[in-house]
Amino acid sequence: MTKTTAVINDLSGFGKCSLTAAIAILSVMGIQPCPLPTAILTNQTGYKNHYCYDFSEHMNFYTEMWLKNNAHFDGIYSGYIAGESQVDFIKKFIEVFKKSDTKVIVDPVMGDNGKLYSAYNKNTCDKIKELAKTADIITPNLTELCILTGEDFNSVMKKSDSDFFFEYIEEVADKAIFHDNMKIAVTGIKKDGFIYNGVFEKGNADFLKSKEYGSSFSGTGDIFSSIICGSVLNNTTLSKAAYNATKFIEDVIKETIKEPYEKNHGIDFEKYLYKLAVYKE
């Protein structure tokens, strides 16, 4: 029987991110994505002009109807939220639908490159931290890891020239392992012209290296988290899932930059989705 996962995230018309990326990736990996929008956007917020419709007042209907229809989820995967009240909704959703075999994956979307996203504040981030504590796996970028642990991003990056930089990142990540069974995949750790993704669990750390190409692209974090979600639901280890995600994204970026590109459009992953099908185990 096909496994299912609730995907709680925004839907952007342009940007190749969030639900647009998750639905395509999870489907090709043999997982049925059940989308629950947090917001509807004309395009992701990196574009100069965009419109966002907060979907908060409609989200309870999903819980109500899915309960009435006896919905079961093998996974619950959350991403971008449009307001603080949505964090409370997602926590309640997890309480209602999580069973003993349900995997909860939280992408704690809050910021990037050392800065909070404009729609977020400290109260929102504090709530997202509480949500992260309910997860089996979280997939923050380095900025979000710092927010979760109270570390200063700039102070962390000043250590990037040190031979002990990765040991320090491991120490920071350990602070975000909020319970013994939690695992973390951290993206966007930059050092010496390379980008590393780190995988952490109690007593173990692994860093996956890829070359840094061009500039930051829209949606790569969502692609990474979606591959993680699909992989673990297919009984792949987190380390192998992170390797698959890292390699896929690097390969697609190398192809994307062969032609003129706009970073807000995202990477041309659609042509390479077939490669993810082999990752099902």
Side-chain angles (χ1 to χ4, degrees):
M1 189 175 198
T2 300
K3 290 185 177 180
T4 61
T5 183
V7 188
I8 309 171
N9 211 333
D10 73 272
L11 179 63
S12 292
F14 281 92
K16 300 186 181 184
C17 58
S18 308
L19 286 174
T20 302
I23 291 169
I25 287 166
L26 290 165
S27 295
V28 81
M29 296 183 77
I31 306 296
Q32 179 189 350
C34 302
L36 198 172
T38 57
I40 311 295
L41 291 91
T42 54
N43 35 270
Q44 59 95 358
T45 58
Y47 288 88
K48 181 178 179 181
N49 302 300
H50 67 272
Y51 170 77
C52 176
Y53 178 78
D54 185 331
F55 210 63
S56 296
E57 63 183 274
H58 306 286
M59 293 172 70
N60 282 324
F61 291 115
Y62 283 77
T63 303
E64 181 183 347
M65 295 302 128
W66 286 354
L67 275 173
K68 288 181 177 179
N69 291 324
N70 300 313
H72 168 79
F73 299 107
D74 300 285
I76 299 171
Y77 162 32
S78 72
Y80 176 83
I81 63 153
E84 292 179 27
S85 66
Q86 291 187 356
V87 183
D88 296 325
F89 169 85
I90 295 169
K91 288 174 67 177
K92 182 64 176 178
F93 185 94
I94 293 169
E95 290 175 8
V96 170
F97 286 104
K98 180 176 171 58
K99 308 300 181 187
S100 60
D101 59 347
T102 306
K103 294 290 185 183
V104 176
I105 298 100
V106 171
D107 184 4
V109 178
M110 292 180 283
D112 202 2
N113 296 315
K115 297 180 180 179
L116 279 180
Y117 293 133
S118 59
Y120 288 69
N121 57 39
K122 184 180 184 302
N123 287 339
T124 310
C125 293
D126 287 344
K127 279 183 168 287
I128 291 174
K129 181 176 180 178
E130 292 305 308
L131 173 63
K133 292 178 180 180
T134 69
D136 298 298
I137 297 170
I138 59 174
T139 59
N141 60 36
L142 184 57
T143 298
E144 292 156 350
L145 178 67
C146 289
I147 296 169
L148 289 172
T149 57
E151 297 287 334
D152 179 73
F153 177 84
N154 292 323
S155 297
V156 170
M157 290 309 300
K158 284 179 181 177
K159 301 182 190 310
S160 63
D161 292 332
S162 166
D163 292 337
F164 303 100
F165 179 57
F166 294 112
E167 286 86 346
Y168 180 67
I169 295 294
E170 184 178 355
E171 290 176 8
V172 175
D174 282 344
K175 297 177 183 178
I177 298 177
F178 298 120
H179 56 80
D180 288 343
N181 295 321
M182 176 177 278
K183 299 177 182 180
I184 306 177
V186 181
T187 60
I189 304 167
K190 297 183 179 181
K191 179 176 172 61
D192 300 331
F194 293 91
I195 298 179
Y196 296 81
N197 297 322
V199 179
F200 309 93
E201 54 188 302
K202 283 288 186 182
N204 189 53
D206 190 20
F207 290 91
L208 306 163
K209 178 181 179 181
S210 61
K211 189 174 179 181
E212 185 174 6
Y213 299 90
S215 57
S216 177
F217 291 88
S218 166
T220 52
D222 294 311
I223 293 169
F224 183 91
S225 296
S226 297
I227 296 173
I228 294 292
C229 180
S231 297
V232 299
L233 290 180
N234 282 322
N235 301 315
T236 303
T237 65
L238 181 59
S239 291
K240 183 66 161 66
Y243 171 81
N244 293 342
T246 300
K247 186 176 188 306
F248 179 80
I249 292 169
E250 182 180 24
D251 288 349
V252 175
I253 289 176
K254 285 192 290 187
E255 293 300 317
T256 300
I257 63 176
K258 288 180 179 179
E259 303 289 342
Y261 65 89
E262 163 55 52
K263 67 176 185 177
N264 284 324
H265 293 349
I267 61 176
D268 295 333
F269 72 89
E270 297 90 343
K271 293 181 287 186
Y272 304 97
L273 281 170
Y274 70 92
K275 292 186 175 183
L276 293 175
V278 304
Y279 293 155
K280 181 178 179 182
E281 296 182 0

